[in-house]
Each structure stands twice: as C-alpha cells, then as structure tokens.
Amino acid sequence: MSIDGERVPPERAVVSVFDRGFLYGDSVYEVLRTYGGRAFEGEEHLSRLARSAERIGLALPWPRERLSAEVARVVAASRPAGPDEEPPAPDAAPWNVGERTVRLVVTRGSGELGLDPALAADPKVILLALPLQAPPLAAYRQGVGAVIVGETAVGRPREPSAKTGAHLAHVLALRQARAAGAHEALTVDRDGFVTEGASSNVFLVQGGAVTTPPLDAGLLPGVTRAVVLALAREAGLTVREARPRPEALAGADELFLTSTAREILPVTRLGDRPVGSGAPGEVTRLLHRRFRARADAFARGG
C-alpha cells in the first residue's frame, strides 16, 4: 500500500485521527480490479473519482497521470513472485485467481475539529492493493440471494452522484441482508422504487429485455453497469433504463447484479422466493460470457 506516494507495510500504515475522512466520511474513493495484473477500466474509474471530488468541492492533489501510475506501481508491489505467491482459494472462480483489488482513497486532509471544510489542509492519497475477494465459482453457477430493504429501515443513502466515504446506510442495508441469509440488499427509495444494491447495480430481465434503474433515480453511475449496458446493446438485446418497483423484480424472469469485483452475478432468490426458474437465466449467462471475453482480451493486452 502507499500513503501520499510512500510505500508502507500494512502494520506501519497510519492516518491521523484528525483526518476528515475518518471523522466525517469527507473523502472520495474508487475500487478497481485487475485482469492480468492491469487495472480494468482504469480511466473510467479515475474519471469518476474526479467527478466525485468535484461534486464535494475537493481538489485532487495529484493529476490523473500520477494517480494511474501509482495504481500500477502499488499493484506491481503487491504481487509476490514465485513460491511466495498466495495459493488460490479452492472455490475461487478461475478468472479471479492471482488478481488484485485496489482501493484508492483521497481525503480532504486533517485540521481542527469542525464541519467546515476550510479547516482541512493537505489532502491525503491512500492506495491499498490486496488479493481480490470475489464470489466463489458456485455463486456464478447457482446464483445468490437478495432482499429488498426500504430507505426507512436503513436511513438515507449517501450523496448518489459522488462515491464518498459516507456509507452507513448501505452498511446497515447489507447487515439486514446478511441477517436474512442473503448476499445483497437492494434499496428502495421513499417513492417505492428500487434503486441499486448496497454495493452493486441491479438489472432485471423480462421477456428477453434488460432493464436497470436510470442514473437520475439517485444511484451511483457504476463503471461495470456502463460496460454491461454496452454489451447488451451490442448483443442486440432490448435495453431499458426505468425505475422498477419491487413487484417487477419479484416477477422478473432473471435478475443479476453488477460491480467491479462481481462482474455479472445472477440473483436466483429474492427474499424467500425463487427468481424465474430459480437458476441463472439465459440472458444473464450470455452477458457474462461476453463480459468474460472482454476481460480476457484486456488481460492479454487487447
């Protein structure tokens, strides 16, 4: 990992207790993943980081070129060589073996206690590159469960147009999902429409058409979401961006989640009921094959 460009071992990594990212969630961040040791959709992630920072009035201390170079440097430093390479988990999906996840955080910095952003000085840049933690292969073959969680149950979500460190609402949503034995929580806004997952975007398939909530429904513009929408259109599928209610998800032929680490993950149970046939559907599997082909080409340097 690195802090402000200085490589440090995890046991020596420290951030001030006066840092506003720690005190107030006053930070922006991105999570990237590698294929073949290279950050996938890296430019899109850095563009979103810049938009998030602009949205909260945080001046990024480094230009994009330096951020990109530091991501590559930290990834390279995190990969042991030869026999020191960590053994893969026995249930891992093969495309995730040996890959890394990178968390890039920029905080507004430290200063006197108080909410006023003007009290902060010296924004801090933190990068962590760790072995990728992703769903096991069985999750792609069998699907996972999800539950729907209302806004009143978990509090109001963070500012949707920026990826910031304020995540308590989604933490509580996921806590509720895990208590119900589910993999993910799907949040519903005050008008009763499904918006997104606690850490994912959600898609439904009905009659072969693919639907996902639009960005103006109050959700983060997912990088993988955009890739999947493009792949669906390239495949000739009907694609809609519309605000679904929970009953639309309950009656869908297929559901799936997208995120950086998950890629495309089928949802085969919603609450205590199966989705469609209770197995990953044809459209979900088609899109994941196309996503895998794109990621494999990237890993080969394409």
Side-chain angles (χ1 to χ4, degrees):
M1 65 178 297
S2 74
I3 299 177
D4 290 337
E6 179 182 354
R7 279 183 55 193
V8 291
E11 64 273 13
R12 290 178 48 206
V14 294
V15 175
S16 170
V17 294
F18 291 99
D19 188 274
R20 294 178 62 87
F22 168 72
L23 291 172
Y24 309 119
D26 190 2
S27 62
V28 294
Y29 78 101
E30 283 292 322
V31 176
L32 303 86
R33 67 155 293 163
T34 66
Y35 293 106
R38 300 164 56 216
F40 184 65
E41 296 291 316
E43 285 303 306
E44 291 303 317
H45 280 285
L46 293 181
S47 293
R48 188 171 65 177
L49 181 78
R51 292 194 300 270
S52 295
E54 181 179 14
R55 181 68 182 84
I56 69 168
L58 170 58
L60 294 177
W62 293 358
R64 182 177 302 191
E65 294 76 15
R66 184 177 178 187
L67 288 169
S68 181
E70 187 67 7
V71 168
R73 189 175 78 94
V74 171
V75 167
S78 76
R79 296 173 63 88
D84 292 329
E85 178 68 42
E86 69 276 0
D91 59 352
W95 56 85
N96 291 328
V97 174
E99 301 297 350
R100 293 295 186 268
T101 184
V102 181
R103 192 175 188 92
L104 165 57
V105 182
V106 182
T107 81
R108 203 180 298 271
S110 300
E112 297 179 28
L113 290 177
L115 293 177
D116 185 357
L119 295 171
D122 300 324
K124 187 167 291 294
V125 181
I126 303 162
L127 285 97
L128 301 88
L130 302 167
L132 179 70
Q133 299 295 316
L137 183 59
Y140 295 92
R141 292 176 171 172
Q142 301 168 13
V144 298
V147 294
I148 293 177
V149 178
E151 180 182 297
T152 56
V154 296
R156 189 157 188 181
R158 46 94 183 113
E159 164 57 50
S161 63
K163 196 172 178 73
T164 75
H167 269 282
L168 182 58
H170 286 163
V171 167
L172 296 177
L174 187 58
R175 179 175 182 269
Q176 187 168 328
R178 294 299 166 83
H183 173 85
E184 178 64 306
L186 306 179
T187 56
V188 175
D189 65 20
R190 62 182 60 188
D191 297 318
F193 293 100
V194 177
T195 54
E196 60 186 346
S199 60
S200 64
N201 291 111
V202 60
F203 290 72
L204 66 92
V205 180
Q206 187 71 53
V210 178
T211 300
T212 194
L215 297 182
D216 62 12
L219 59 134
L220 188 76
V223 171
T224 306
R225 172 188 182 274
V227 172
V228 171
L229 286 173
L231 291 174
R233 293 185 175 107
E234 290 170 9
L237 299 172
T238 299
V239 176
R240 304 187 182 103
E241 294 186 61
R243 302 173 70 197
R245 292 192 180 274
E247 52 266 30
L249 272 65
D253 298 329
E254 306 174 38
L255 292 178
F256 61 86
L257 309 172
T258 64
S259 73
T260 295
R262 296 180 182 95
E263 300 183 342
I264 298 173
L265 185 65
V267 175
T268 52
R269 190 179 74 256
L270 187 62
D272 58 0
R273 299 180 60 182
V275 175
S277 68
E282 179 180 348
V283 172
T284 303
R285 289 184 281 112
L286 168 68
L287 290 173
H288 198 213
R289 286 196 301 271
R290 286 177 168 259
F291 188 97
R292 290 269 68 259
R294 176 165 174 166
D296 287 345
F298 177 83
R300 294 192 300 268

